[in-house]
Amino acid sequence: MADRNRTGPDWEDARFFAALARHGSLSATARALGVNHATVARRVAAMEQALGEKLFERRPDGYALTAAGTRALEAADAMEKAARRLLRAQEERPLGGLVRIAATPSLADLYLVPRLAALAQRHPGIDIEIVSDRRLASLARREADIALRLGAPKDARGVDADVIARRLATLAFGYYGTADWRGRIAAGAAPVFVGFDEANAHLPEAAFLARHFPRARLAVRANTQSTQAIAARAGHGIALLPHFIAAEEGVLVAVPLVPLPPTRDLFLLTNRLSADDGAVRAVRDFLAELFHADAALFSGLDD
């Protein structure tokens, strides 16, 4: 009757049993597993009760396996190996699905998109959607899985409370234009600028220009810095740009004007609820590697 009421062994009990067999004492096993020795003793007793056999002999120098314990250990080792194979199969399964990245238009167009082919080679099953807008996409409403935003998260408008933030890069700025404009400024000419339109006059770079060059003419106004860079390249005036935009344009040259605005930090934000998703984690890690490798491009220290 007792055998009929006996339940099968629990995997967790088997794990504790195998650990005690390896370490030989309750205290050593407890330290290895991060529990107390009473938990180890209880788990092993449950294993013995489930099997209906005594698995250990208590000796002065520790715990020794009985014949039944030796047989049980072979089975427990096989269970552990099977569990590791299942875990490896899960980890090695190709990642797939759609991951949405929110970024400013200039960062998306000039930096991200040209470099995402490397991500596709690494994870061909992951699809990417770029949410390129100055309106801050909501992570809480899943408008984006990953957001790249300037400024500390606590200061950024629209940042959801339950996010994980990681600083990616430090953006530094410079004045850029054609070689002709550089010569004219060197000769003492008054600068003419390319800048933001009225709808974006609140942005830090726009406010900085207005404060330090209040009488300067804005020959061309645009809502993105990538458009401003194109206008500067065409000779319309001088643009205040992050160094990475000028570097990606390739034709613009630095124009010796002061003062320069303070640097701004770029953060990678993910919602805590989706941060452990395999595809989101893979894209997040790829972006972290990418920005780390290009740190000098953003800081301008390679100029």
Side-chain angles (χ1 to χ4, degrees):
M1 182 65 71
D3 288 346
R4 185 175 301 170
N5 293 331
R6 186 183 302 137
T7 59
D10 180 275
W11 160 242
E12 278 296 293
D13 294 341
R15 186 168 70 90
F16 277 78
F17 156 70
L20 181 56
R22 284 192 292 268
H23 295 286
S25 73
L26 291 178
S27 57
T29 304
R31 286 194 299 271
L33 298 179
V35 299
N36 58 53
H37 71 278
T39 299
V40 178
R42 178 173 55 81
R43 288 286 191 173
V44 172
M47 179 82 168
E48 290 181 327
Q49 183 178 4
L51 295 177
E53 295 183 289
K54 187 176 181 180
L55 303 178
F56 291 100
E57 288 183 1
R58 179 73 181 269
R59 296 178 178 176
D61 59 346
Y63 283 72
L65 287 169
T66 63
T70 301
R71 293 193 300 271
L73 182 59
E74 292 178 2
D77 284 342
M79 292 171 67
E80 282 191 319
K81 290 176 183 177
R84 286 195 293 268
R85 285 197 299 271
L86 285 173
L87 182 59
R88 284 197 299 270
Q90 178 69 18
E91 292 174 343
E92 293 169 1
R93 186 178 64 186
L95 297 173
L98 177 66
V99 177
R100 297 178 177 89
I101 305 174
T104 63
S106 299
L107 187 62
D109 296 346
L110 295 179
Y111 182 77
L112 278 183
V113 173
R115 291 165 171 81
L116 286 177
L119 175 64
Q121 292 176 352
R122 186 183 301 182
H123 301 290
I126 295 179
D127 299 323
I128 298 295
E129 179 177 318
I130 302 293
V131 183
S132 176
D133 197 340
R134 286 206 170 275
R135 180 187 68 84
L136 297 182
S138 171
L139 296 172
R141 293 193 299 270
R142 300 299 177 90
E143 293 176 347
D145 300 297
I146 295 172
L148 303 180
R149 294 181 184 168
L150 286 169
K154 64 181 180 180
D155 297 326
R157 294 177 303 125
V159 170
D160 306 299
D162 196 18
V163 300
I164 299 172
R166 176 176 183 175
R167 192 177 69 82
L168 284 183
T170 298
L171 272 66
F173 298 82
Y175 298 97
Y176 289 93
T178 60
D180 176 65
W181 263 111
R182 181 166 62 183
R184 290 163 67 177
I185 294 299
V192 173
F193 289 103
V194 171
F196 281 104
D197 56 12
E198 289 186 4
N200 292 283
H202 63 280
L203 294 176
E205 292 77 52
F208 184 89
L209 273 183
R211 184 166 63 253
H212 292 281
F213 299 91
R215 296 182 178 82
R217 177 187 169 204
L218 276 180
V220 173
R221 295 169 172 83
N223 67 343
T224 70
Q225 290 174 316
S226 53
T227 303
Q228 293 168 24
I230 294 172
R233 185 180 65 194
H236 291 288
I238 299 162
L240 174 60
L241 300 171
H243 291 307
F244 85 90
I245 292 180
E248 295 301 300
E249 278 292 328
V251 177
L252 296 173
V253 297
V255 178
L257 289 173
V258 291
L260 288 171
T263 61
R264 298 180 69 187
D265 286 334
L266 178 69
F267 286 84
L268 184 153
L269 307 179
T270 51
N271 190 301
R272 291 186 187 277
L273 297 178
S274 60
D276 288 332
D277 177 87
V280 173
R281 186 170 62 249
V283 175
R284 180 191 65 200
D285 292 346
F286 172 83
L287 293 176
E289 293 173 15
L290 189 63
F291 280 88
H292 177 75
D294 284 339
L297 176 66
F298 291 94
S299 67
L301 295 180
D302 59 346
D303 286 355

